[in-house]
Amino acid sequence: MSLSQVSAESDAGPDALFTRAGDLFAPTRHSRGYWLPGTLNGAAMASLLAFVLEDRHGEAGWVPARYVVDMLGMPRAQPLAVTSRVVKSGGRLRLVEAEIVQDGQLMARASLQLLRPTQAPANPTWQSPAWPAPSPDAVPAAQWGNAWELRPLPADAARIVRQAPDGIDPDRSNRPVLGVLNPVTARQAWLRVHREIVAGEPLTPFGRLAMAGDFASPMAHSSDAGIDYVNTDFTIYLHRLPQGEWLGFEMVGHSSADGVAVGECWVHDAAGPLGTINTTALAQIRKI
């Protein structure tokens, strides 16, 4: 089977980001990027790397406590090879890495640190409070794309004050990508991804979070006018696996100077806090 045949079939294929093509992963139309035509988006790369790491190196009884993705280029929408290796495998800590290389160029890499749960200390430590937000079942769905279901939360669900600065001019920004969440005061929502990473492979709790992780970048780095930063990475910190299908995103931080930005979202499920997603970004004044 030729690469052109693989690409054509995957474009017309299932509701997944990739299909298997022997040892390769062929991107479908759902993995296309925003910034440059014919390239893959960050969520697709991060999802595929997470899938490979969990599939090859994951094991029941371990918590994926830290997942780091470096986005080093915009790979073309062609079948990809993913390599992986074990960096460290101990009784309590395991570190694994994966890479996507295209035409000899490193396009993306990821590392996953897995920790084995153990007995908690006798003295409890203060814990982050629960999110004062309505449950997903109590919030109406918003009109959104077909990648996931989105349920925006009211502004009073936020735990910090977010206010748009003066001087916002839509004519000086790339188009917005957040829909109803574009106003900075509105950036908290429940979302549920319902697309497979690889066709025919069930979406795991970790895969679900990895697929949604790139959403932290537009949440943190968009102005009220649009998206003018492209993220170069994101890191998920997690103390337990998500329960259920719903993930709660709460944008809590953006700091930037001279076109370099860092941002943060807190992540929850219906049972309580899960962890954080941090992301760095560079100014992208105009879409390529």
Side-chain angles (χ1 to χ4, degrees):
M1 180 182 293
S2 70
L3 295 186
S4 61
Q5 287 175 315
V6 169
S7 298
E9 290 179 7
S10 59
D11 280 349
D15 192 20
L17 296 176
F18 296 89
T19 60
R20 288 190 184 271
D23 293 333
L24 304 179
F25 297 92
T28 72
R29 59 186 176 85
H30 302 302
S31 63
R32 298 296 191 266
Y34 166 82
W35 293 103
L36 185 64
T39 62
L40 302 183
N41 61 52
M45 289 190 291
S47 300
L48 181 59
L49 290 164
F51 172 84
V52 168
L53 288 172
E54 185 175 31
D55 183 57
R56 296 178 186 172
H57 308 292
E59 185 180 345
W62 291 76
V63 175
R66 189 194 70 202
Y67 180 55
V68 184
V69 182
D70 288 306
M71 299 174 187
L72 307 174
M74 296 181 185
R76 296 188 312 280
Q78 296 179 357
L80 301 172
V82 184
T83 60
S84 67
R85 70 186 185 105
V86 177
V87 179
K88 167 73 175 179
S89 184
R92 290 161 53 97
L93 183 150
R94 180 178 300 165
L95 181 64
V96 293
E97 294 180 342
E99 293 183 346
I100 295 173
V101 176
Q102 191 174 70
D103 296 334
Q105 298 293 317
L106 180 61
M107 292 294 180
R109 68 176 185 179
S111 69
L112 176 63
Q113 184 188 104
L114 299 118
L115 302 178
R116 186 187 294 276
T118 186
Q119 183 176 349
N123 289 316
T125 304
W126 178 89
Q127 299 217 29
S128 301
W131 197 15
S135 73
D137 294 336
V139 182
Q143 186 68 32
W144 195 252
N146 61 0
W148 51 57
E149 182 180 350
L150 186 76
R151 300 201 172 184
L153 291 163
D156 59 11
R159 286 181 281 186
I160 64 169
V161 177
R162 297 188 299 266
Q163 184 174 349
D166 296 331
I168 296 292
D169 181 359
D171 291 335
R172 299 186 301 172
S173 282
N174 295 305
R175 66 175 174 82
V177 296
L178 288 173
V180 294
L181 299 184
N182 203 61
V184 70
T185 54
R187 293 193 194 160
Q188 55 274 325
W190 292 104
L191 63 88
R192 176 167 61 182
V193 299
H194 51 73
R195 176 167 291 150
E196 295 175 337
I197 298 173
V198 176
E201 301 285 352
L203 189 60
T204 67
F206 172 63
R208 191 181 304 280
L209 186 55
M211 185 183 293
D214 193 57
F215 188 55
S217 178
M219 285 278 278
H221 299 312
S222 293
S223 74
D224 276 39
I227 176 70
D228 297 315
Y229 286 92
V230 56
N231 62 313
T232 58
D233 79 344
F234 70 80
T235 300
I236 298 174
Y237 289 101
L238 192 66
H239 72 276
R240 62 174 175 83
L241 284 168
Q243 300 175 22
E245 297 182 329
W246 288 102
L247 297 170
F249 275 67
E250 184 179 9
M251 187 279 231
V252 297
H254 168 91
S255 300
S256 58
D258 300 322
V260 177
V262 295
E264 181 176 3
C265 289
W266 292 341
V267 189
H268 313 260
D269 63 9
L274 284 173
T276 63
I277 303 178
N278 297 82
T279 175
T280 57
L282 281 169
Q284 186 68 53
I285 304 303
R286 283 289 178 265
K287 184 179 176 182
I288 301 172

